[in-house]
Amino acid sequence: MVELNTEILEGMGSYCLRSKKNSIGYINKNKWLNDRFEEGLRYVQLIENKKQVGFIEYTEAEFSSRVVHADNYLVIHCLWVSENGKGYGTKLINKCLQDAKKQSKLGIVVVTNPETSWAPSKDIFIKNNFDLVDRATYNFELLAYQFDHNTPLPYFPNNWDERVEKFHNLTIIRSFQCPYVEIATENIITGANKLGIEVKIIDLKNREELMEISPTPYGIFSVIFKGQLITFHRLTVHSVIKRLKGLI
């Protein structure tokens, strides 16, 4: 296991989009990581035979990019492995559990959603004794590993409809926790331009703003038009046009 810091990040780089190291999304992700290391974020890569076979990213709830109330928990942003059945995911989760214990946390939480590969699959967490503790709209689920089941459970906000209804114009709400956000943004803009629709972009500045306005628990990418959520993950330009046409 290699835990990245500013120096190692410069040499190894982050995992996602690593084949396009000159892309804006990749550059933004690495800058975002450098800023988050100072807040205690952990980005751990798993290496086997000199190849990266998995990684995990997690941080304290008060600095996380997920819209969840989880005081004194660690929040897993991402978990990825190159191959199932090798124990890579369990190894990385155990690393997070060890850090949570060292920091005297109540446990760990993760946000999952079967509709997108941008969110981790819940199966590996269920296998490692996480419990489903809350659900939100758009098929989001909150899983938690508690060290003591008598401690408070984390939970989602419950005003998702109100958040979406505030936005009438085509609006992208985003942060750069994921390098694919830039590509996803470009596809929305391209599709909207073909339909003559203006796009407003809100770059989230801090967790307070994230917790207040994000229309989904995922937090880092949302597209809203006429009070409806268009997507919380990347769409093709064709899909963007199709969804927007349905609301014009």
Side-chain angles (χ1 to χ4, degrees):
M1 285 193 192
V2 178
E3 185 169 327
L4 272 64
N5 54 30
T6 298
E7 185 179 345
I8 297 174
L9 178 64
E10 189 174 336
M12 290 183 66
S14 57
Y15 189 86
C16 294
L17 211 61
R18 67 197 183 285
S19 62
K20 296 182 179 180
K21 293 188 175 182
N22 293 322
S23 67
I24 295 173
Y26 185 83
I27 292 167
N28 283 340
K29 170 66 178 183
N30 282 269
K31 182 181 183 302
W32 183 90
L33 281 172
N34 267 322
D35 294 341
R36 302 289 89 72
F37 287 149
E38 296 178 9
E39 299 171 351
L41 178 132
R42 301 286 187 268
Y43 191 101
V44 181
Q45 294 186 356
L46 191 61
I47 312 295
E48 185 175 83
N49 297 323
K50 298 182 180 179
K51 287 186 177 181
Q52 297 179 46
V53 295
F55 78 92
I56 189 169
E57 176 184 306
Y58 53 91
T59 191
E60 295 180 64
E62 54 264 42
F63 299 115
S64 82
S65 294
R66 301 294 177 263
V67 186
V68 56
H69 297 285
D71 292 347
N72 209 24
Y73 281 81
L74 291 184
V75 177
I76 295 175
H77 286 160
C78 304
L79 174 68
W80 177 88
V81 296
S82 62
E83 193 175 345
N84 293 328
K86 293 255 184 151
Y88 298 150
T90 295
K91 243 178 214 184
L92 291 165
I93 290 170
N94 284 338
K95 163 64 175 162
C96 184
L97 285 168
Q98 289 166 12
D99 280 354
K101 286 180 181 176
K102 285 178 186 175
Q103 297 176 40
S104 299
K105 297 298 182 183
L106 299 179
I108 301 170
V109 300
V110 62
V111 174
T112 67
N113 191 306
E115 290 187 21
T116 174
S117 60
W118 281 21
S121 168
K122 75 175 181 181
D123 296 344
I124 183 63
F125 297 101
I126 297 296
K127 180 182 174 182
N128 281 276
N129 301 312
F130 281 64
D131 296 313
L132 176 63
V133 297
D134 202 0
R135 287 188 170 92
T137 52
Y138 318 115
N139 291 318
F140 282 99
E141 295 182 334
L142 182 63
L143 281 76
Y145 186 110
Q146 290 179 285
F147 295 129
D148 180 350
H149 286 280
N150 292 316
T151 54
L153 282 170
Y155 60 96
F156 287 135
N158 59 9
N159 62 338
W160 303 113
D161 290 342
E162 294 172 25
R163 293 169 183 237
V164 173
E165 289 165 2
K166 291 178 182 177
F167 297 93
H168 184 77
N169 297 329
L170 181 56
T171 305
I172 299 171
I173 301 172
R174 67 179 189 174
S175 81
F176 296 112
Q177 188 261 317
C178 176
Y180 293 103
V181 161
E182 187 64 33
I183 300 170
T185 299
E186 290 172 4
N187 287 355
I188 297 294
I189 293 172
T190 300
N193 285 344
K194 289 181 182 294
L195 297 173
I197 301 173
E198 290 188 11
V199 183
K200 179 182 180 181
I201 298 177
I202 299 175
D203 287 323
L204 294 165
K205 296 182 288 294
N206 49 52
R207 178 160 172 80
E208 288 71 29
E209 188 176 26
L210 170 89
M211 291 295 289
E212 182 182 348
I213 72 170
S214 174
T216 80
Y218 188 56
I220 63 166
F221 185 75
S222 304
V223 184
I224 309 167
F225 186 45
K226 294 189 175 180
Q228 293 192 42
L229 184 75
I230 302 298
T231 186
F232 53 83
H233 54 82
R234 181 173 60 176
L235 296 176
T236 64
V237 173
H238 175 75
S239 293
V240 170
I241 293 171
K242 186 176 179 181
R243 294 193 187 190
L244 292 178
K245 273 185 174 179
L247 295 174
I248 292 175

